Amino acid sequence: MKKYLQVHPWKVIEDGFDANNMEASESIFSLGNGKMGQRANFEEQYSGHSLQGNYFAGIFYPDKTRVGWWKIGYPEYFGKMINSVNWVGIDVFLDDEPLDLAKCKVFQFRRELDMKEGTLSRSFYAELPSGKMVQVQAKRFISMDNTRLAAIHYSITAVNFKGTLTILPYLDGDVKNRDSNYNEKFWDEVAKTSGDNQAALIVKTKKLDYHVGSGMRIVLLKNNQPISIASEPIERAKYVGQRYTIAVENNQSLTIYKYICNVTSLDVDPSHMFQVIDSELKNAVKTGFDKLLEMHRQAWQIKWEKSDIVIEGDDEAQQGIRFNIFQLNQTYTGDDERLNIGPKGFTGEKYGGGTYWDTEAFCFPFYLCTANQNVARNLLLYRYRQLDKAIENARKLGFTDGAALYPMVTVNGEECHNEWEITFEEIHRNGAIAYAIYNYIKHTDDKEYLAHYGLEVLIALSRFWSQRVNFSKVKGKYVILGVTGPNEYENNVNNNWYTNFIARWTLEYTLETIDFVKKQYPQVYQKLSQKIDFQETKECERWKNIIENIYLPTIEGTNIFLQQEGFLDKEIQTVDAIPRNQRPINQHWSWDRILRSCFIKQADVLQGIYFFLDKFSMKQVEDNFNYYEPMTVHESSLSPSIHSVIASHISRVDKAYELYLRTSRLDLDDYNHEVKEGLHITSMAGSWLAIVEGFARKRVVNGKLSFDPLIVPQWKSYNFKIQYRGQIVELQVKNEEVIIINHSSKPLELYLYGTLYTIAENGTLHYKKQKV
C-alpha cells in the first residue's frame, strides 16, 4: 500500500512532485468519455519514466502471438489496446531551453482531479538548469457533452527573466505500445494538413485498417489579451505541429488554448475526416473553452445524479467510491453496442482486449442500476452480435452443433488470449454471460430481449456445457475435467465446484427460458428453432439428465462446497502462515509453488454463492466464508468486493468494511503495487456492489426490490439511487432510520427488512430502526 494522495470527498490531489510516483499518477489522474481517453501525461515534454497513452474505444491491434511452444487452438494474435495519437502535447522552450520537469527544480507542484466536473488541473513553479523560472497553470477535459472534443488551457508565466517563450503544440502519431510483442509500431500515416493556428493528422493501423483522425486549433493570449502571431508549421513523419515564439518580460504570461477533435473510422469515413474535424473545431473555438467546459460539467452532473453514492462521516470511503464511479462512467457510456469495458479502460495497456468475463460478472450490475436500460441492453447485444464468433471459437476446440464458447479476451468476438490455462480452461466465463442475461431480465422485465436475443445465446451456451461434461462411471455422475475456476492459483483441476454449479444453473435457466418463449412467443421460438436446428426433445432431455446428475464436490459431513476435487490433498493453511515479506505471493513465489498451495487468488466457491445467495441457507454461506476467506490472499483486484458483499450478508460488518476499503481504494492506495500499469476499471464496479448489494443488502425477491440495510459504525449515513423496471428508487440509511424515496410517477412495492411496503408515486417511506 502506498498513500501519497490527499483525501477529499470530490477530488484526488497530489501535492508535491515525486518522480517515483509519475507513472502511478498518470494512471490515477486519467480522463475519458466513453469514446476516448488518456493517461495523465504532462503537456510539456518529460524525459523521466512515463507511460504515454492515448486510446480510442474499439480500436485495437492484432499483435501476432508470441509463445515458446505453439499449441493447437492458440489464437493467432493478442488484441492490444492500442496507444494512439498523442494529442495533448505542448512543448515549451525558454530561450531554446526545454521545460522538462525531469531536469528542473520543481516547487509548489499540485495536480488535481476534480471528479464532480471531470477536469484535470496542474500548477507548479519550475527552475531550469539556467536559473530561469516559470509558473505553469494548466487545465484540461475530455468532453462528455461532445465525445469528439477535448480542450486544454495552458498558461506559462516568466517569473524571473526577459527573453522568448516558444510554444509548440503538436499531434504525434509516431507512438508505440510498451507491450508490443515484437517492438513494432502499429500506425502508418495517411495524411496531414496544417494552416494558421491549426493542424490535423490521419493515421491508420498497419493491420485491420482502423483510421484515427486528430485535429487541433490554437488560440493564444498574452497577459490575458488575444494576440495574433504567425506560426511556423512543423512536420515530419506521423507528426504535425505549430511553433510560436513570443517575447516576454518578467511576470508576463502566455496562455494557449488547444482545442482538439478526435474521430475514428468506427464513426467517420476516413475520406471525410478532415472535413468533420475542421467543422467540429470551428464550432469549438467559436463556443470557447469556458462554455465547452460548462456543457461538459452539465453532462457530468446528470451522470452523478444517477450514479453517485454519498457517504457521510468517512472521507476515505467517500473518495474511494466516487473515484471508482467516476472511472466507470468515463470508460463506458453504453450508447454503442460495438463497445465494451476493458479491464484497464483508457488508463493503460496491460491485459489488452475490449472485454473479459469481468463485464458480466462485475460491471453489468452497476450500469444496469445507474443508467438507462439500453446501456445494459447494449452490453448484452455486444455478446449477441458476437455469437457466431463464439460458436467458431468452440468449433476450433472440437465442439460441434452450435455450441458456443465465448472468448476470455476479445474485441471483435475472436479469442485473442493465449495463456492455455486461462484461454481454454477458464470456461466459467460462459456462465457469467448467462447470469448477466438472467440479471437483466430480473431487473428490467424486458421479455422481448429474452425472446429475440437471449434465448439463442442461452441455447448455444447450454450446448457447450452439454458437450463439455462427460459421464464418470466411477462416480455415476457427470464431471467437468481440466478447468481453471475463478481462482487462477489452481490450473487444470477437475470438478471445480463453481464451474460445475454455474454450468448446471445455465442449463436450468435455459430450459426455463425455452418454456417461457414457447408459450409467449411461439412464432419467434419456431423461427429460432429452425435457424439453429434445435432438436428440442433430444437436447432438453440430455440437459435435464446432466442437471440431475452433475457432480458437485463437498467436504463430507459439512456445509463446505469443495473448491475442486483435489483441494483437500493440499496442506490447508491460512494466509497468516505466509511471511509478510513474501506477499503478494505472485511476485515472490514460483508458479509451481503457488499451484501446490491452498492459497486462493480470488473468490471461487464464494463467487457462486454471491451470484445465487437465495439458493443457500445463511448457515451454508457463513460456513463457506469462514472456511475459504482465511485462505484467500485477494491478489486479484476482483476478490475483495465479493467477500465484502458476503460478509455483509452474514452480518460481519467489520470484515465487510475492511474489504470494502480495499476494493474502493485499491488504486488510490496502490494495494497491489501495480497501479502504474493502469487502473483496475472492471474491479471498480465491485466497490459499488459492496455498498449496494453488500451493506444495503439489495436483492430482488418475488419480482420486487428488497433491502435489508446495515450501516458501518464509522459512517453517519449513506445513500444512493438505483433504477429498477423503469422506476428510480433512492435509499438513505442512517443509524436510527432508513428512508426510501420513490422518484417515480407510479407506486412502488418493495421489501424492507422482510416486510412488503407500498410507496406512493413520488412518495417517501420512513422506517425507524428498533433500538437493541
Side-chain angles (χ1 to χ4, degrees):
M1 187 189 305
K2 185 176 185 180
K3 289 178 174 282
Y4 70 94
L5 303 167
Q6 292 184 12
V7 174
H8 186 286
W10 273 111
K11 296 179 179 180
V12 181
I13 300 167
E14 181 180 10
D15 197 356
F17 179 67
D18 183 346
N20 293 320
N21 296 329
M22 183 63 180
E23 292 189 14
S25 291
E26 287 176 333
S27 297
I28 289 168
F29 291 87
S30 295
L31 293 178
N33 66 4
K35 287 296 183 72
M36 62 176 167
Q38 64 178 194
R39 291 170 60 80
N41 308 120
F42 291 163
E43 287 89 356
E44 69 279 354
Q45 59 184 279
Y46 182 75
S47 59
H49 290 293
S50 172
L51 176 59
Q52 187 231 308
N54 295 271
Y55 310 102
F56 294 96
I59 304 298
F60 77 104
Y61 189 80
D63 201 9
K64 182 173 172 55
T65 297
R66 186 170 189 168
V67 293
W69 179 20
W70 191 274
K71 299 179 177 69
I72 292 175
Y74 264 161
E76 295 291 326
Y77 67 88
F78 187 65
K80 294 291 173 66
M81 183 72 176
I82 184 169
N83 184 23
S84 187
V85 176
N86 174 12
W87 51 262
V88 75
I90 304 173
D91 286 346
V92 178
F93 299 87
L94 285 61
D95 292 332
D96 297 327
E97 187 178 10
L99 175 60
D100 179 348
L101 295 199
K103 298 177 180 179
C104 297
K105 293 180 181 178
V106 183
F107 309 93
Q108 298 181 35
F109 180 94
R110 183 180 175 91
R111 179 160 28 189
E112 183 177 293
L113 178 67
D114 188 322
M115 297 181 286
K116 191 171 188 177
E117 67 171 23
T119 58
L120 174 60
S121 302
R122 192 165 54 101
S123 61
F124 61 88
Y125 287 85
E127 182 181 335
L128 279 64
S130 65
K132 297 183 181 75
M133 184 179 290
V134 292
Q135 180 188 14
V136 172
Q137 293 180 311
K139 175 178 278 192
R140 70 192 194 225
F141 65 93
I142 301 178
S143 178
M144 274 288 187
D145 176 66
N146 181 339
T147 55
R148 292 174 173 173
L149 295 181
I152 301 169
H153 168 277
Y154 191 92
S155 181
I156 182 166
T157 302
V159 174
N160 67 348
F161 71 96
K162 176 181 178 180
T164 60
L165 280 177
T166 299
I167 309 293
L168 204 172
Y170 62 85
L171 305 167
D172 185 6
D174 192 21
V175 297
K176 65 182 295 185
N177 272 48
R178 182 182 286 182
D179 67 349
S180 168
N181 283 346
Y182 296 92
N183 201 35
E184 65 175 323
K185 294 181 178 179
F186 297 153
W187 295 99
D188 285 329
E189 180 181 312
V190 176
K192 56 178 175 275
T193 182
S194 60
D196 291 340
N197 303 314
Q198 61 184 302
L201 172 70
I202 298 174
V203 293
K204 72 179 184 68
T205 53
K206 292 180 177 179
K207 299 176 185 175
L208 303 184
D209 206 33
Y210 287 115
H211 284 62
V212 166
S214 294
M216 67 177 184
R217 283 206 174 214
I218 305 302
V219 175
L220 286 175
L221 287 77
K222 184 177 180 181
N223 298 327
N224 296 318
Q225 297 299 315
I227 58 171
S228 179
I229 182 172
S231 61
E232 176 191 355
I234 306 295
E235 295 187 3
R236 57 178 182 263
K238 296 184 275 190
Y239 177 102
V240 60
Q242 296 285 349
R243 179 188 284 131
Y244 303 85
T245 301
I246 301 104
V248 294
E249 298 186 6
N250 282 6
N251 298 317
Q252 288 189 335
S253 63
L254 181 65
T255 300
I256 177 172
Y257 288 98
K258 183 177 182 182
Y259 298 92
I260 302 100
C261 175
N262 291 310
V263 294
T264 77
S265 51
L266 292 181
D267 301 304
V268 176
D269 188 305
S271 65
H272 298 151
M273 281 184 173
F274 280 146
Q275 297 96 304
V276 171
I277 289 168
D278 186 60
S279 175
E280 291 279 12
L281 287 176
K282 280 180 180 176
N283 289 333
V285 172
K286 183 178 179 181
T287 303
F289 185 92
D290 291 340
K291 180 62 176 176
L292 289 173
L293 177 56
E294 181 56 32
M295 292 187 291
H296 170 69
R297 285 183 183 129
Q298 290 173 6
W300 264 112
Q301 182 179 352
I302 292 169
K303 288 191 174 295
W304 283 119
E305 285 174 356
K306 293 179 178 180
S307 60
D308 192 20
I309 293 180
V310 181
I311 298 171
E312 187 183 6
D314 187 344
D315 282 349
E316 276 204 333
Q318 178 67 87
Q319 183 187 43
I321 188 62
R322 280 208 175 115
F323 180 69
N324 294 348
I325 291 170
F326 175 73
Q327 294 294 348
L328 287 163
N329 280 322
Q330 287 197 130
T331 301
Y332 182 77
T333 56
D335 58 355
D336 188 338
E337 67 184 51
R338 297 171 298 176
L339 305 180
N340 210 286
I341 307 152
K344 295 296 182 188
F346 301 118
T347 73
E349 303 166 7
K350 189 178 179 182
Y351 298 129
T355 186
Y356 287 52
W357 76 294
D358 307 22
T359 289
E360 286 78 20
F362 292 85
C363 300
F364 190 79
F366 170 79
Y367 297 100
L368 179 62
C369 292
T370 65
N372 181 285
Q373 177 176 317
N374 286 333
V375 172
R377 201 174 200 263
N378 278 342
L379 283 172
L380 295 181
L381 287 174
Y382 177 92
R383 294 294 194 181
Y384 176 79
R385 304 294 184 211
Q386 295 180 356
L387 179 57
D388 287 347
K389 290 285 189 182
I391 292 171
E392 183 182 327
N393 292 333
R395 191 182 304 122
K396 290 176 182 176
L397 302 182
F399 296 88
T400 60
D401 302 320
L405 176 60
Y406 275 93
M408 187 63 185
V409 181
T410 193
V411 179
N412 64 356
E414 284 184 298
E415 178 63 75
C416 62
H417 192 280
N418 54 28
E419 293 180 30
W420 181 269
E421 66 275 11
I422 293 175
T423 308
F424 306 113
E425 294 187 347
E426 210 162 326
I427 55 176
H428 63 81
R429 58 194 186 253
N430 261 8
I433 292 167
Y435 183 81
I437 295 171
Y438 163 78
N439 211 12
Y440 174 75
I441 301 304
K442 186 169 65 170
H443 282 82
T444 67
D445 202 34
D446 183 2
K447 300 295 178 56
E448 289 284 330
Y449 166 81
L450 194 60
H452 290 279
Y453 305 103
L455 178 56
E456 186 174 353
V457 174
L458 290 170
I459 289 174
L461 297 174
S462 292
R463 284 171 161 174
F464 172 82
W465 290 123
S466 177
Q467 295 177 44
R468 188 58 173 80
V469 303
N470 59 275
F471 190 77
S472 166
K473 293 181 180 179
V474 174
K475 290 182 172 64
K477 296 282 186 181
Y478 287 99
V479 296
I480 303 180
L481 308 177
V483 301
T484 298
N487 171 30
E488 292 170 345
Y489 286 178
E490 292 187 314
N491 301 153
N492 200 34
V493 299
N494 295 334
N495 295 310
N496 170 258
W497 181 87
Y498 171 79
T499 303
N500 288 21
F501 188 89
I502 206 161
R504 183 182 74 172
W505 174 84
T506 301
L507 295 172
E508 291 171 339
Y509 183 54
T510 304
L511 291 173
E512 177 186 321
T513 304
I514 288 170
D515 223 30
F516 168 79
V517 175
K518 274 179 68 177
K519 293 175 182 175
Q520 300 299 322
Y521 299 86
Q523 292 180 329
V524 173
Y525 179 75
Q526 184 178 10
K527 187 176 179 181
L528 174 62
S529 295
Q530 292 172 350
K531 173 186 175 183
I532 64 174
D533 191 24
F534 184 48
Q535 307 296 311
E536 181 185 343
T537 302
K538 177 183 176 182
E539 294 189 61
C540 289
E541 283 303 313
R542 175 166 170 80
W543 297 350
K544 290 174 185 176
N545 191 28
I546 294 168
I547 290 166
E548 292 169 3
N549 294 287
I550 198 164
Y551 180 57
L552 293 169
T554 61
I555 298 180
E556 192 173 346
T558 74
N559 287 318
I560 310 300
F561 307 123
L562 192 57
Q563 183 160 278
Q564 50 90 5
E565 199 171 351
F567 189 75
L568 291 181
D569 294 331
K570 301 185 177 193
E571 181 182 1
I572 302 301
Q573 299 174 294
T574 64
V575 170
D576 295 341
I578 306 172
R580 186 166 294 277
N581 63 2
Q582 295 181 25
R583 299 280 301 275
I585 60 174
N586 63 20
Q587 295 177 21
H588 293 88
W589 288 10
S590 69
W591 195 243
D592 171 73
R593 184 179 180 187
I594 289 173
L595 293 177
R596 289 185 286 108
S597 80
C598 69
F599 299 119
I600 300 169
K601 183 181 181 184
Q602 69 189 81
D604 194 301
V605 167
L606 296 179
Q607 183 75 40
I609 289 175
Y610 156 71
F611 275 155
F612 303 106
L613 269 166
D614 292 341
K615 294 183 178 291
F616 307 103
S617 69
M618 279 300 108
K619 176 64 173 167
Q620 287 176 309
V621 176
E622 187 172 10
D623 286 355
N624 280 275
F625 183 90
N626 291 341
Y627 184 76
Y628 285 113
E629 199 283 330
M631 286 185 268
T632 303
V633 289
H634 299 296
E635 289 175 11
S636 164
S637 62
L638 301 173
S639 186
S641 60
I642 298 304
H643 287 82
S644 180
V645 171
I646 296 176
S648 288
H649 278 268
I650 59 176
S651 299
R652 289 189 57 183
V653 183
D654 289 348
K655 190 68 176 177
Y657 177 67
E658 170 201 325
L659 293 166
Y660 162 77
L661 280 183
R662 179 161 180 164
T663 190
S664 67
R665 300 192 61 84
L666 177 77
D667 289 322
L668 288 175
D669 296 338
D670 200 6
Y671 271 86
N672 289 352
H673 311 293
E674 59 184 13
V675 74
K676 65 183 180 181
E677 299 170 339
L679 302 179
H680 297 83
I681 298 297
T682 50
S683 71
M684 287 177 167
S687 57
W688 184 91
L689 295 172
I691 293 177
V692 175
E693 297 187 4
F695 299 132
R697 297 198 284 200
K698 169 247 161 195
R699 293 181 298 154
V700 175
V701 177
N702 300 325
K704 298 175 176 61
L705 274 179
S706 172
F707 295 104
D708 189 12
L710 304 164
I711 189 165
V712 176
Q714 294 89 330
W715 297 356
K716 294 179 182 177
S717 69
Y718 65 95
N719 70 75
F720 58 82
K721 294 176 184 174
I722 63 170
Q723 299 189 48
Y724 179 76
R725 298 194 179 185
Q727 294 180 275
I728 299 175
V729 184
E730 181 176 354
L731 179 74
Q732 302 176 3
V733 182
K734 305 178 181 180
N735 282 304
E736 300 83 20
E737 185 181 26
V738 175
I739 300 170
I740 302 179
I741 304 171
N742 175 15
H743 293 279
S744 306
S745 57
K746 61 180 181 179
L748 171 70
E749 286 189 321
L750 56 72
Y751 292 96
L752 179 62
Y753 295 117
T755 299
L756 185 63
Y757 294 90
T758 301
I759 307 175
E761 58 272 19
N762 298 307
T764 302
L765 169 67
H766 291 267
Y767 178 90
K768 295 291 184 181
K769 293 183 182 179
Q770 299 294 320
K771 291 185 179 181
V772 180

